[in-house]
Every structure is written in C-alpha cells, then in structure tokens.
Amino acid sequence: MTATETEPVTTGDVVLEADGLTKHFPVRRGLRDLFTKERKAVHAVDDIQLTLRRGRVTALVGESGSGKSTVARLMAQLYGRTAGDIRLHGETITVKGGRGFRAYCRQVQMIFQDPFASLNPVHTVRYHLTRALKIHGRAGKGSAELEQNLNALLLRVQLTPPERYLDKFPHELSGGQRQRVSIARALGANPEVLLADEPVSMLDVSIRLGVLNLLRDLKERLNLAILYITHDIASARYFADETLVMYAGRMVEGGDSETLTQNPAHPYTRLLIESAPDPDRLDRVGDAKDAPEDTAGGEPPSLIAPPTGCRFHPRCIHAMPKCSTELPPRFELPIVSGEGEHWAACWLYEEGAAK
Ligand SMILES: Nc1ncnc2c1ncn2[C@@H]1O[C@H](COP(=O)(O)OP(=O)(O)OP(=O)(O)O)[C@@H](O)[C@H]1O
C-alpha cells in the first residue's frame, strides 16, 4: 500500500528530494589516453537540489544536453549516482534492482518522451495495463475485478469508453492516445510521483495541451508530485507551479513559475525566454522546433571540461572577471508579488554587484 491509501495526504508534503545530486559518465579511453593517467568524464549533472511535493508540478527547463533527462533517470534510480543523496519521505534511498527497485517504482514512476518506443508493439493495451497492475499487486481478485481496475485506469486518462481501447495494439492508436496509455500504465502502480521526461514534445501540437491538462487533472485528483521536463519555458509557465532552470549540468535559477517567467533573473533564463515561443500561443506548448538551442546565441560548453566558475560565463553578455573563476552560490531574490521563493546562481545578485 502507498501513503495515499494509509494516511491523509496534504498538498505540499515533500515526497522526493535530491540533494547534491551528481552524475559523471566516464569517457572510454582512446589509444592516446593509455599513456596518460587522466580519466575523462562527462560532467552531465552537478550538485542538483530538487524537492518534489504532493499536488505540485515542478518543471525542469533547459536546452538539449543540459542534463534534464539524466536528473530524471537518477531520480527514477535507472542510473546510479556519482555523488549526492536521493530521499523518499526523508529516507535516503539507493536501489540496485530486484525487489528494492520494484518497491521504489511503486511510488515513483517515469513517463518517457516517445510513447511508441515505450509500449511493446506486439502487445495490446490490456496486456500492458494488466502487467502493470499485476506487478504492483493491484490486479484484484478474479477476472471481474481485474476488468474493473483496467476500466478505471483508462477512465482516469480519459480514454472512453474503455472497451474501445483495451484490445487495441499501439499502432492502432494516435500518438496522444499512446501517451495516455503510458500514463495509465504508470498509474497502475498507484504512484506518488510521476517523472515526465518531455511527455508532449513528440506529439502533434494540437493534442499537447490535452495531455498536459490530463497531467494537471491527475496532479489535482490524485495529489501527485510531478517532475515535468521540457525544452519549452512557455509550457512550464502554463503547467508548472515551480520552475527550475538548468544550464550545462547545473541549476542556475529557480522559483515559482509565474515569478520566474515574469522576472527572469539569470542571463541564461532571460535568453531562454527571449527565444521561446509566445506563451499566449498555448497551442504550441512543448514545441521542440522552438527549442532555444535553435535561436540562442553561442554554443553550450563541452561537459568533459566544463568552464570554471559559472558555466554560462563564455556566453554571458554580463560576465565579470569573477564569473570565470568562482562558482556563484544561490542568491535569494526579492519577491515582486505573491509568495514563494526566487533565487539565481549569478554573481550579478551578490550584494553590491552592479546590475
Ligand atoms: N549514458 C551516457 N553516457 C555518456 N554521456 C551521457 C550519457 N547520457 C547522457 N550523457 C551526456 O550527458 C549530458 C546530458 O544529457 P541529457 O540527456 O541528460 O540532457 P538533456 O538536457 O536531457 O538533453 P535532451 O533534451 O536532448 O534529452 C549530455 O552531454 C549527454 O551527451
């Protein structure tokens, strides 16, 4: 049983946290490297702090290669971490597979970008959902109860009437319907956390909003904590309560989504917003074609030898000498309206620095 079934859940309760989360991928040594002692690594994710709360969506935004998917995979325990802590209900968790992994998956489920790749083409919707229910001990007693539970899952993701979908194969469904089946499969575990890695970027623009609205509905009805990974800061503003911005493996700014998108502080966040599609055109949310890497000036750095100091300094028009040598800590920023927090890891916000 999950906490959902045993005790009342309050919106805002912390479920899953990352503290100092770091992942370096070792680079395979070439012939030339055999003569040196140096061991190279891709510094994909460094020192990430992240808190997921019941009934809240947290967006993780950044351009391609900034480390967003690696964070999601670390939080899902699909990758081992190089350093840092992952806490579920305050307890440090390291899962290596087997039973421990299954127990963790009961509470933390992941949804992938490509629903076609994540569903097995030779199996029906019924098979995928039955398997999820059985693995997590939620199939019920007997076939009538199983049928009821299958129907309930499809109703939850608004695939109605359920009988129309249960015996379909993935290729007989549209992209949006397939993503709904993936979400239903994740819900089969009755999780507390959904880690959604670009859940709408491969879908037709016309159906993206429907899938985001479904996730929002699930957040509210089931009090889920959702991590929403996206290239598109406009969709984060629309969908997420809190937004965190990543650049080259590090978090550079965070705060409540409205405050952060209305008053972006870090020069990289400003660049993301300038190059994002118009947030009022919600029919384009999650559009990977509008991803900032297509329009932002300069190139992201190599993560094998990332820049010292602030990783954004080689592209930053405000860079000061200190930015290339010292890593900026988080500076708390004043909240212009409403409540919540807003911070930026940028030396511009050190007391006394010229803006
Ligand atoms: N298994 C791996 N081995 C080596 N390097 C990896 C591995 N997975 C990711 N990386 C590297 O880590 C960095 C971060 O990748 P990641 O996929 O997390 O970024 P992302 O922000 O999710 O990008 P995208 O939006 O394109 O998926 C990239 O430089 C990538 O090449």
Side-chain angles (χ1 to χ4, degrees):
M1 272 194 179
T2 69
T4 332
E5 292 164 317
T6 53
E7 56 195 52
V9 173
T10 314
T11 299
D13 282 355
V14 173
V15 198
L16 192 61
E17 294 163 279
D19 186 8
L21 195 60
T22 298
K23 179 71 183 176
H24 295 172
F25 294 103
V27 175
R28 275 182 65 189
R29 306 180 91 197
L31 256 188
R32 220 183 310 157
D33 303 328
L34 290 178
F35 302 103
T36 68
K37 286 219 164 112
E38 195 188 358
R39 295 212 168 245
K40 290 183 183 156
V42 177
H43 295 230
V45 164
D46 267 306
D47 196 21
I48 295 294
Q49 316 291 331
L50 182 66
T51 302
L52 301 181
R53 298 169 191 276
R54 296 302 294 259
R56 298 248 193 281
V57 176
T58 303
L60 193 53
V61 184
E63 62 198 342
S64 190
S66 57
K68 308 178 299 292
S69 296
T70 303
V71 170
R73 284 163 189 265
L74 288 165
M75 302 291 279
Q77 307 269 356
L78 295 173
Y79 288 159
R81 51 196 183 262
T82 305
D85 222 6
I86 293 176
R87 291 190 290 270
L88 183 64
H89 295 298
E91 259 180 57
T92 297
I93 305 259
T94 307
V95 175
K96 295 234 162 66
R99 247 196 242 167
F101 183 64
R102 200 169 286 184
Y104 187 79
C105 289
R106 208 158 287 156
Q107 295 173 75
V108 182
Q109 281 280 314
M110 189 151 171
I111 299 164
F112 297 90
Q113 183 176 21
D114 182 357
F116 206 61
S118 64
L119 297 173
N120 188 331
V122 303
H123 290 303
T124 60
V125 172
R126 178 187 295 281
Y127 174 91
H128 284 101
L129 300 186
T130 303
R131 191 154 182 270
L133 287 170
K134 283 197 170 153
I135 286 175
H136 297 293
R138 303 187 64 245
K141 293 187 203 84
S143 55
E145 218 175 303
L146 171 63
E147 203 66 16
Q148 231 175 24
N149 291 339
L150 289 171
N151 285 350
L153 276 182
L154 287 177
L155 288 174
R156 241 208 183 136
V157 296
Q158 296 154 10
L159 288 176
T160 53
E163 325 65 91
R164 186 187 296 166
Y165 298 96
L166 269 173
D167 296 308
K168 291 245 176 355
F169 288 90
H171 72 267
E172 297 178 288
L173 301 171
S174 70
Q177 289 167 345
R178 280 197 291 266
Q179 195 57 299
R180 283 169 195 263
V181 171
S182 300
I183 296 169
R185 181 176 55 180
L187 296 180
N190 195 22
E192 296 173 54
V193 180
L194 278 187
L195 306 170
D197 189 359
E198 307 236 22
V200 296
S201 62
M202 287 192 69
L203 305 181
D204 262 19
V205 283
S206 56
I207 52 177
R208 287 178 187 165
L209 206 54
V211 173
L212 284 188
N213 285 340
L214 166 68
L215 286 171
R216 186 196 303 220
D217 175 70
L218 295 173
K219 164 193 98 161
E220 280 159 13
R221 277 203 222 193
L222 306 178
N223 235 322
L224 287 175
I226 298 181
L227 179 66
Y228 170 58
I229 288 180
T230 182
H231 281 95
D232 175 20
I233 199 160
S235 72
R237 180 184 171 196
Y238 167 73
F239 175 53
D241 302 288
E242 184 196 11
T243 295
L244 299 164
V245 180
M246 266 188 98
Y247 180 76
R250 287 193 178 274
M251 274 187 192
V252 296
E253 184 167 357
D256 97 86
S257 299
E258 190 64 22
T259 307
L260 184 140
T261 50
Q262 290 301 302
N263 304 288
H266 197 284
Y268 175 63
T269 313
R270 291 191 200 151
L271 188 63
L272 269 186
I273 288 178
E274 279 162 24
S275 46
D278 183 349
D280 293 330
R281 294 195 50 201
L282 291 177
D283 58 333
R284 299 186 60 189
V285 291
D287 198 341
K289 285 199 297 296
D290 292 314
E293 70 267 33
D294 299 333
T295 41
E299 289 283 316
S302 153
L303 293 182
I304 295 179
T308 51
C310 170
R311 288 187 181 174
F312 188 60
H313 85 261
R315 287 170 82 183
C316 182
I317 53 170
H318 302 287
M320 305 176 277
K322 189 177 195 173
C323 302
S324 58
T325 54
E326 287 179 55
L327 183 68
R330 293 179 175 203
F331 293 105
E332 293 299 324
L333 303 172
I335 301 292
V336 181
S337 64
E339 37 186 82
E341 61 155 14
H342 187 195
W343 58 266
C346 174
W347 288 116
L348 284 176
Y349 300 95
E350 185 183 28
E351 213 171 306
K355 304 271 176 337

